Amino acid sequence: MQTGYIEQNMIAGFVTRGGADIKSITATVAIGAGLPVKQDSDGNAKLLESTDGLDAMIGVVVRFHDGWTLQVFPQEIGVLSTGYIQVPAAASITPKRNQAVYYDATNQVFTTDNTKVPIRAVFAANGIADGCAEIQVTQQIVIPVKTTGS
């Protein structure tokens, strides 16, 4: 059973395990690797906003590097809709495995703060490493574990 992260030096947008479902979508502006996106009315990727709900997210942008070329828009980007991926994490959190994931749109980091945007994901390991965390993105809404005594 995994109790820590797979890698010590994590980089946002890296897919950490095989079997991920990655789709291609058009982006008309730069979107950072490891950030959650939704689809706008024209079908383009758009960064998740603080007013979005759980059903808005279509996935997390994967890291891609094709040399030192200028970005020209529109361009195709890869978005992980299910699987394990490294994402930027709030410095103050110490997530637990299977804990619900939220997105702080103001600071563009993932967090355990349930006042932020809910994400279809759970943290994949305990702890925090290098400002990144590993999450498991799911197709289904994650059902929180019932706490006793409430």
Side-chain angles (χ1 to χ4, degrees), residues 10-92:
M10 300 176 76
I11 299 175
F14 276 8
V15 177
T16 57
R17 304 182 197 191
D21 186 9
I22 299 172
K23 302 229 179 343
S24 178
I25 187 170
T26 302
T28 56
V29 297
I31 301 173
L35 296 179
V37 292
K38 61 183 179 180
Q39 199 168 17
D40 68 13
S41 59
D42 294 325
N44 298 315
K46 183 177 178 184
L47 194 58
L48 220 56
E49 300 171 296
S50 60
T51 55
D52 289 321
L54 184 63
D55 59 345
M57 185 184 93
I58 61 167
V60 177
V61 177
V62 298
R63 181 167 291 280
F64 176 73
H65 178 69
D66 65 351
W68 297 102
T69 58
L70 294 175
Q71 287 187 312
V72 179
F73 295 99
Q75 70 174 352
E76 294 296 305
I77 60 171
V79 174
L80 178 138
S81 60
T82 58
Y84 293 82
I85 190 167
Q86 297 170 3
V87 296
S92 61

Side-chain angles (χ1 to χ4, degrees), residues 43-143:
N44 298 315
K46 183 177 178 184
L47 194 58
L48 220 56
E49 300 171 296
S50 60
T51 55
D52 289 321
L54 184 63
D55 59 345
M57 185 184 93
I58 61 167
V60 177
V61 177
V62 298
R63 181 167 291 280
F64 176 73
H65 178 69
D66 65 351
W68 297 102
T69 58
L70 294 175
Q71 287 187 312
V72 179
F73 295 99
Q75 70 174 352
E76 294 296 305
I77 60 171
V79 174
L80 178 138
S81 60
T82 58
Y84 293 82
I85 190 167
Q86 297 170 3
V87 296
S92 61
I93 66 168
T94 53
K96 303 286 184 233
R97 185 182 178 109
N98 294 324
Q99 185 174 3
V101 178
Y102 300 89
Y103 177 66
D104 179 346
T106 303
N107 297 305
Q108 295 188 348
V109 292
F110 290 80
T111 182
T112 56
D113 181 352
N114 65 4
T115 65
K116 305 300 180 189
V117 181
I119 299 294
R120 286 184 294 103
V122 292
F123 285 98
N126 297 332
I128 193 75
D130 297 336
C132 281
E134 182 186 22
I135 64 172
Q136 178 186 8
V137 180
T138 63
Q139 283 290 347
Q140 303 298 321
I141 294 173
V142 178
I143 300 170

